Amino acid sequence: MKAETAILGGLVVSSAGVLPATVVISGGRIVALSDPAERWPAEEVLDARGRIVLPGGLDPHVHFNEPGRTHWEGFETGSAAAAAGGVTTVIEMPLNAIPPTTDASAFALKLEAIGPRAFVDYALWGGLVTDNVDRLEGLERSGAVAYKAFMIATGTEYARADDGVLWEGMERIAGWNGLVGVHAENNDLAMRLQARLQRAGRRDMRAWGEARPPEVELEAIQRVLRMARATGCRLHIVHLSTPEGGALIAAARQRGQRVSVETCPHYLLLDEEAFARLGPVAKCAPPLRPRPAVEGLWRQVADGTIDCLSSDHSPCPPEDKARGVDDVWQAWGGISGVQTALPLMFSEGVRRRGLPLERLAALTSTNAAKIFGLYPRKGSLIPGADADVVILDPEREWTITAEWLRSRHRLSPFLGWRVTGWIERVLVRGRTVVRDGDLVGDPGYGTLLRRGPAAKGPHGSAMR
Ligand SMILES: [Zn+2]
């Protein structure tokens, strides 16, 4: 049999470890990882000598704001940025789209809008908000892979879920062994602290962190852990910013709870000093933390306490950042990061800190695929899986520039960073979408993914 594509000579990172192998692709899927000495006739041969071959990134937390706020991003530019950054699957959030994705009709509207625009594959979050508990089942039937709830006000039309709503939503979602993802910050505490700082005339960047100290996150994590345990619902904590929160989650797991957690590159690479220096472009919630917290998160990324990385890519027009320069409360809180996540984690994690390549693949692809029910189709370079592949040149040094970014608004707190490791080629289902760093895919090629049967581990899927 003649294969469509053979990737020769690379160091392949798979669940079997890191080994030289030929990746053989046919029909958009991986058909074999073969001994490099073996010859595979193929229509297209890709020379990956001296390169690292990784499973395509799976970013479980992006905001592309389609439909309704496409002047902020939109699926075409957002998924182009994903592809260029080695992310071959995104799971897109229900908020900042108008209407928010909180029922079956909004889900259908979103799918229609995305259809002709996606460069990479995608799954969709549904929302759990104040008034949609009775419509969650419709979202499930539509194909939502998880449900997002905010314990704190979002500042947009997306309603916060109070404790009663969270409880009822979790009861419902547990009924189909679904997953609730929570933005865990204590609303009352943060709003009170914010009002007090505002009364005192504070508008500087540091005030943002003072309004949302670690306790704001920790109390919310503790509370939602209890509610998820009581209702029997699988729980995913999004964008963890404090290692103490990771410890709470680890302790809950030890008691048998099904809970997973992600953090973002910005919590690992930036700290509160960087925020004070960079200004609104680095405003996010929870806020960037002091240096010891950052180091604590790195330990949890390395030791497996943290399951996966997400970008929480949440862009906005430049003016929505600019108005916060002299008044932090006025700036949009969100960081653009879908394109920079994988290169930065390779450079800062693998190269600088010695993070093993297997761990990088688990963090950027495999574990999220398992948590969100997309494994083994996505998340690993194994026979039978979709041929979503990143070919990375581990030695090439380059600088992150605005010109390289593909988002609608080329904002990033990482502009000017020197990076070792260049994303040379990206394949989605066997087709090259990025070549020599250039986008060559087509909008509309990306397809909707639905949740399959739960896979084993890491934390949450098929555990007790
Ligand atoms: Zn988010």
Side-chain angles (χ1 to χ4, degrees), residues 61-63 93 95 148 150 183 238-239 312-314:
H61 186 157
V62 301
H63 300 266
M93 280 289 176
L95 62 149
K148 173 73 177 290
F150 272 79
H183 179 133
V238 299
H239 50 49
D312 190 7
H313 180 79
S314 187

Side-chain angles (χ1 to χ4, degrees), residues 120 141 194 247 302 386:
V120 301
R141 279 197 299 269
Q194 176 171 332
D386 282 355

Side-chain angles (χ1 to χ4, degrees), residues 172-200:
R172 296 286 177 100
I173 292 163
W176 55 81
N177 194 28
L179 179 68
V180 171
V182 173
H183 179 133
E185 286 189 290
N186 179 310
N187 188 65
D188 291 357
L189 183 51
M191 294 306 147
R192 182 87 179 191
L193 293 176
Q194 176 171 332
R196 193 168 76 183
L197 288 157
Q198 286 173 324
R199 278 199 308 276

Side-chain angles (χ1 to χ4, degrees), residues 116 152 154 173 188 205 392 398 446 448:
I152 190 165
T154 64
I173 292 163
D188 291 357
M205 300 303 130
L392 181 141
W398 58 289
L448 175 73

